[in-house]
Amino acid sequence: MDSLLFTVIILYILSTAGYLAFLFRQKERLNQAGFFLLFCGFILHTITILYGASLVGHLPVHNLSETLSIAGWAIAGLFALFQFKYNLKVLGVYAAPLSALITVAAALLSTEPVHADKILESYWLIFHIITIFLGDAAFALACGLGIIYLVQERTIKNKKHGFFFKRLPSLQLIDSTGYACVVVGFTMLTIGLFAGFIYAKTVWGRFWSWDPKEVWSGITWLLYAALLHGRASLGWRGRKAAIMAIIGFIVLMFTFFGVNFLLKGHHGVFTQL
Amino acid sequence: MQEIVLIGLNHNTAPIELRECIAFSEKDTLGALARLVDIPVIDEVMLLSTCNRVEVLLVSKNQPKAILETKNFLSRFNDLPIQRFDAALYALQGDAAVRHVFRVASSLDSMILGEPQILGQIKSAYQTATQSKTSGVILNRLLHRTFFVAKRVRSETGIGGNAVSISYAAIELGRKIFDSLKDKKILLIGAGEMAELAVEHLIRHKAVEIYVANRTFERGVNLAKKFNGKPIHFEEIFDTLEHVDIIISSTGSADFVIHKKQVKTAMKKRRNSPLFFIDIAVPRDIDPEINRINNSYVYDIDDLKGVIEENLEDRRKEAGKAERIIDEAVIRFREWYKNLDVIPTIVALRSKMEGIAGSELEKTLQTLRHLSEADREAMTRMTQAMINKIMHNPTRLLKSDSPHINKSVYLDFARRLFKLDE
């Protein structure tokens, strides 16, 4: 499993190199190479996770290493999907290294796979985790697009075009792709939360137990709900939407890491070292 | 030995007043070519005349004389004493002339670096020369190489990339804000060449509705007709801001025509859908503070000029790459040209024949093993004699100094008939 994950990391890193080279040289072939490597990495990553699951008999999400690996996988996969739809090449410069970094962290923290308690074997749980992570990955991409948007907006407003103007896509394309990412992320998060409620009901007998992670997930959900509502009814787009996507992701990161390290609760088991 | 010679003047060496005096119209060119090719020391000739340059490209055995004759011709044809333009003329020979032609066609020598028209102008000049039958083997080859090199420079370097005119720079910006200009709505305030050019570009990019506002409504109506647009009253500008995406302003107004407050209000109504202001007027029409409002972008004439300067800087960087491509092409042309000389051609022809005869002889002798050593030698001598006999007349013809034959044509034919260039 470790050597598999190692190969995945190499592929992600090579893909990052391809995308970086593309950013500087602007040769279509480099972009294709970057995408191909990332896609190979994603396929192999899928195999790695399935293989790990087959060894322990459930989805491997019981320590920080395993959850990070899933997060890296979700980002790579979702980016590939968005790439098919929007062909926003430059996003690879963000997505590929992000997947690589997260997967590297996963490998560094890697421990023996845990055979967890009975309570963790439920389809609702698997569904809960997969949708939540896909949602998180979509929000991660939205954050990256938000950053790209701010850079390109600054370039255009300051009228000094330099390095980025040519290399980054149009504001409208970045904005609408970012919006699509948030919509996907929000949908996934909503489904994931519901799956979590149902699972909680079956295990603890109640939907909601004021666990810190639950509370922060709720806050994240509200934040993105506000972003989508603002866009639909008040026309929050462009800069405002970009900044909100970035803030949303920071809160999300806190929900993912901070809550586990700083606050106690029943989600702690998923991110223990 | 024939050499390629180029005599001319361009925007760097001659002021416009002088270039005007020497320029050849299309009709002039035909007559000029006929007279130039009649000059005995000129074997092939082509004439390029654009608003930025006049150049005579020719092939001659006696280059100094050809240069002198061409100067005399320019003087006579334009009725201008040589002293008036002699200082502005440059005369290049051999590799320098070839390099110059490549550089001009690749737009490295243009007033606006990388502008694409020059290649078309050279193509039509060449066409005129071929129609007048004043170009020959050498110029044909040179020009075909030139077109090839220019194409390569254009596709492999960014010399033609990024806008270097005000209206194109505006379009480029629009596409970085809106992605596609398709179905975008335009408001033109005032009138003016640059503003109208920008609108035309936008229409070509499939922008749809064009509104035209003018202080005098009648003028607006006329202009609107030109773009198939809608004339509006000057007072309606504010309400129109709600619906349009790109505003091009070019009025003679001393004050701002559009103020920040108006755009803020309009922005709310259009729910932050982006607005792009192109302010070509001096003094400015659009309050520059509007650029600080979210999702609205203001570029005035100086900003656009800044963009162009930046793009030109990029082109200059790319020109270095182009020079390398041209260096390579000059060397390759030189190699071809060298081979067009008599001695290498005769040597190549002979070695080709000896190669064929040698291998055939060997094959035959392999099957005739009963032959004695003396027989074999006799056969070898015979093939050698055949080669000598075959080579005799072609050698004499290629080496002859008769003024009646165009040697480069013969050499080129010989090389092609026997595939000597492979």
Side-chain angles (χ1 to χ4, degrees):
Chain A
M1 161 131 177
D2 274 347
S3 68
L4 266 177
L5 199 62
F6 185 71
T7 320
V8 170
I9 290 170
I10 296 290
L11 284 168
Y12 285 163
I13 288 175
L14 286 177
S15 162
T16 305
Y19 274 115
L20 274 176
F22 171 67
L23 181 66
F24 283 91
R25 303 290 308 275
Q26 297 285 294
K27 293 266 187 292
E28 181 54 30
R29 222 184 248 166
L30 292 167
N31 167 51
Q32 286 167 353
F35 184 72
F36 178 75
L37 288 164
L38 188 87
F39 197 73
C40 290
F42 171 70
I43 299 289
L44 199 63
H45 205 160
T46 314
I47 294 167
T48 311
I49 290 168
L50 289 177
Y51 176 67
S54 76
L55 279 187
V56 292
H58 54 79
L59 202 63
V61 283
H62 303 113
N63 57 37
L64 188 59
S65 164
E66 290 168 352
T67 39
L68 280 177
S69 175
I70 298 265
W73 168 84
I75 288 172
L78 216 64
F79 168 71
L81 205 70
F82 270 91
Q83 182 70 354
F84 272 126
K85 175 118 175 60
Y86 289 95
N87 198 23
L88 208 83
K89 300 162 192 167
V90 75
L91 191 58
V93 178
Y94 169 82
L98 193 63
S99 296
L101 258 166
I102 292 173
T103 318
V104 166
L108 288 178
L109 297 170
S110 171
T111 48
E112 277 302 298
V114 198
H115 289 268
D117 328 342
K118 266 264 177 269
I119 65 157
L120 294 168
E121 288 168 17
S122 153
Y123 286 111
W124 282 115
L125 180 66
I126 293 172
F127 191 57
H128 167 66
I129 290 165
I130 295 282
T131 47
I132 289 275
F133 273 107
L134 282 176
D136 288 359
F139 288 138
L141 292 183
C143 168
L145 286 162
I147 295 167
I148 293 174
Y149 183 93
L150 291 182
V151 171
Q152 181 69 311
E153 194 211 25
R154 204 183 136 82
T155 313
I156 293 177
K157 286 244 179 188
N158 285 359
K159 298 161 187 184
K160 286 268 172 284
H161 287 174
F163 183 79
F164 288 111
F165 181 77
K166 266 181 291 175
R167 290 176 165 83
L168 299 184
S170 71
L171 291 175
Q172 195 166 350
L173 182 63
I174 308 172
D175 185 52
S176 52
T177 314
Y179 175 60
C181 281
V182 173
V183 169
V184 169
F186 186 74
T187 313
M188 288 294 168
L189 184 64
T190 310
I191 297 172
L193 286 179
F194 271 103
F197 293 154
I198 294 168
Y199 172 71
K201 178 80 180 165
T202 62
V203 179
W204 294 296
R206 54 183 185 272
F207 289 109
W208 182 271
S209 44
W210 295 102
D211 170 70
K213 190 114 183 173
E214 287 175 9
V215 174
W216 277 94
S217 296
I219 293 172
T220 314
W221 187 87
L222 283 174
L223 202 71
Y224 282 110
L227 167 58
L228 288 178
H229 174 74
R231 185 171 185 116
S233 64
L234 305 168
W236 287 359
R237 62 169 94 212
R239 186 182 178 79
K240 221 175 227 171
I243 291 173
M244 291 253 329
I246 296 169
I247 293 175
F249 190 63
I250 292 169
V251 173
L252 188 76
M253 284 286 94
F254 181 72
T255 313
F256 188 85
F257 293 111
V259 171
N260 291 101
F261 295 138
L262 305 175
L263 309 162
K264 295 259 173 277
H266 65 227
H267 275 86
V269 64
F270 299 119
T271 40
Q272 72 201 0
L273 289 170
Chain B
M1 169 88 187
Q2 286 176 310
E3 265 299 356
I4 295 167
V5 177
L6 182 131
I7 304 143
L9 45 81
N10 66 16
H11 55 96
N12 288 324
T13 66
I16 177 97
E17 299 79 27
L18 186 56
R19 298 204 303 273
E20 277 167 351
C21 294
I22 300 213
F24 291 83
S25 72
E26 233 167 279
K27 226 172 73 201
D28 289 345
T29 306
L30 288 172
L33 282 176
R35 282 170 60 181
L36 277 164
V37 84
D38 274 347
I39 299 171
V41 289
I42 294 179
D43 301 332
E44 301 179 26
V45 64
M46 175 185 140
L47 178 62
L48 172 70
S49 176
T50 73
C51 37
N52 283 332
R53 67 181 69 244
V54 176
E55 289 180 349
V56 180
L57 182 62
L58 57 87
V59 177
S60 168
K61 283 192 203 71
N62 184 348
Q63 296 91 27
K65 185 119 193 278
I67 292 170
L68 194 71
E69 293 278 5
T70 307
K71 282 183 188 176
N72 284 334
F73 165 78
L74 287 174
S75 162
R76 260 179 289 131
F77 197 91
N78 298 295
D79 213 1
L80 204 68
I82 291 188
Q83 305 87 284
R84 275 283 311 279
F85 62 90
D86 198 28
L89 281 182
Y90 42 83
L92 307 166
Q93 298 183 34
D95 283 357
V98 171
R99 178 184 307 276
H100 183 85
V101 175
F102 288 170
R103 291 188 77 243
V104 169
S106 309
S107 199
L108 291 177
D109 200 44
S110 300
M111 192 135 90
I112 296 165
L113 189 64
E115 61 89 11
Q117 280 96 333
I118 185 66
L119 184 57
Q121 288 162 336
I122 293 182
K123 275 186 180 158
S124 78
Y126 172 59
Q127 209 171 13
T128 312
T130 49
Q131 275 162 7
S132 315
K133 298 201 165 58
T134 61
S135 70
V137 172
I138 295 172
L139 284 192
N140 286 344
R141 178 78 175 204
L142 174 63
L143 267 296
H144 285 138
R145 287 314 293 177
T146 303
F147 301 144
F148 178 77
V149 170
K151 241 186 237 162
R152 214 185 131 195
V153 164
R154 202 145 278 275
S155 63
E156 289 180 24
T157 74
I159 190 106
N162 298 327
V164 290
S165 74
I166 297 281
S167 48
Y168 268 114
I171 301 294
E172 214 175 66
L173 273 161
R175 296 181 60 179
K176 279 294 178 188
I177 294 170
F178 298 108
D179 204 45
S180 153
L181 298 172
K182 200 171 166 237
D183 300 333
K184 291 289 170 272
K185 293 172 187 157
I186 320 294
L187 168 60
L188 172 64
I189 306 174
E193 195 188 340
M194 249 190 288
E196 288 168 39
L197 206 58
V199 173
E200 275 166 28
H201 288 325
L202 285 168
I203 293 172
R204 222 170 296 140
H205 279 91
K206 304 221 166 61
V208 281
E209 278 164 65
I210 319 284
Y211 297 91
V212 180
N214 206 298
R215 286 235 192 256
T216 39
F217 191 66
E218 286 70 38
R219 281 197 67 193
V221 171
N222 287 331
L223 203 52
K225 231 182 251 163
K226 188 171 154 193
F227 299 124
N228 226 340
K230 245 188 248 167
I232 60 168
H233 287 282
F234 218 69
E235 298 72 37
E236 288 176 291
I237 289 177
F238 176 55
D239 295 321
T240 318
L241 282 183
E242 194 186 325
H243 312 291
V244 296
D245 305 290
I246 299 169
I247 296 99
I248 302 168
S249 194
S250 170
T251 75
S253 163
D255 302 316
F256 293 143
V257 174
I258 296 180
H259 298 271
K260 190 174 179 185
K261 229 193 220 157
Q262 296 174 319
V263 177
K264 266 199 162 157
T265 319
M267 220 38 174
K268 265 186 207 127
K269 283 191 198 152
R270 48 190 289 122
R271 297 175 53 171
N272 294 315
S273 167
L275 264 177
F276 179 28
F277 295 90
I278 303 161
D279 187 356
I280 302 180
V282 180
R284 288 180 287 186
D285 285 345
I286 316 278
D287 183 354
E289 283 293 300
I290 291 171
N291 193 42
R292 303 178 75 129
I293 300 173
N294 273 348
N295 299 312
S296 64
Y297 307 88
V298 180
Y299 270 72
D300 64 36
I301 188 100
D302 280 3
D303 298 332
L304 290 170
K305 278 184 184 153
V307 170
I308 289 172
E309 193 37 57
E310 223 178 303
N311 289 346
L312 270 176
E313 192 48 49
D314 285 349
R315 286 191 177 193
R316 272 177 225 126
K317 274 184 213 145
E318 292 297 310
K321 274 189 221 164
E323 297 282 4
R324 282 197 289 283
I325 292 175
I326 287 173
D327 285 343
E328 190 194 316
V330 170
I331 292 169
R332 288 189 50 186
F333 187 77
R334 169 56 45 192
E335 268 162 22
W336 172 81
Y337 197 79
K338 230 170 34 201
N339 283 335
L340 208 56
D341 203 358
V342 178
I343 304 297
T345 303
I346 292 172
V347 170
L349 191 57
R350 179 172 283 276
S351 74
K352 177 118 189 179
M353 295 214 180
E354 279 172 350
I356 294 168
S359 71
E360 292 304 315
L361 189 66
E362 200 180 327
K363 260 194 246 166
T364 312
L365 289 179
Q366 291 256 317
T367 57
L368 301 173
R369 293 199 177 274
H370 59 276
L371 289 184
S372 72
E373 196 57 36
D375 292 339
R376 284 163 185 269
E377 252 170 49
M379 278 186 81
T380 311
R381 269 200 308 278
M382 182 193 76
T383 50
Q384 198 59 47
M386 281 170 73
I387 292 172
N388 288 342
K389 282 267 155 67
I390 294 169
M391 286 293 293
H392 178 72
N393 199 50
T395 306
R396 215 187 54 168
L397 182 75
L398 289 175
K399 279 188 170 168
S400 82
D401 272 328
S402 158
H404 302 298
I405 66 166
N406 187 341
K407 208 182 275 176
S408 55
V409 173
Y410 281 68
L411 286 167
D412 186 57
F413 257 79
R415 299 195 75 87
R416 279 205 267 172
L417 274 174
F418 293 97
K419 272 198 168 179
L420 299 183
D421 281 321
E422 279 175 14

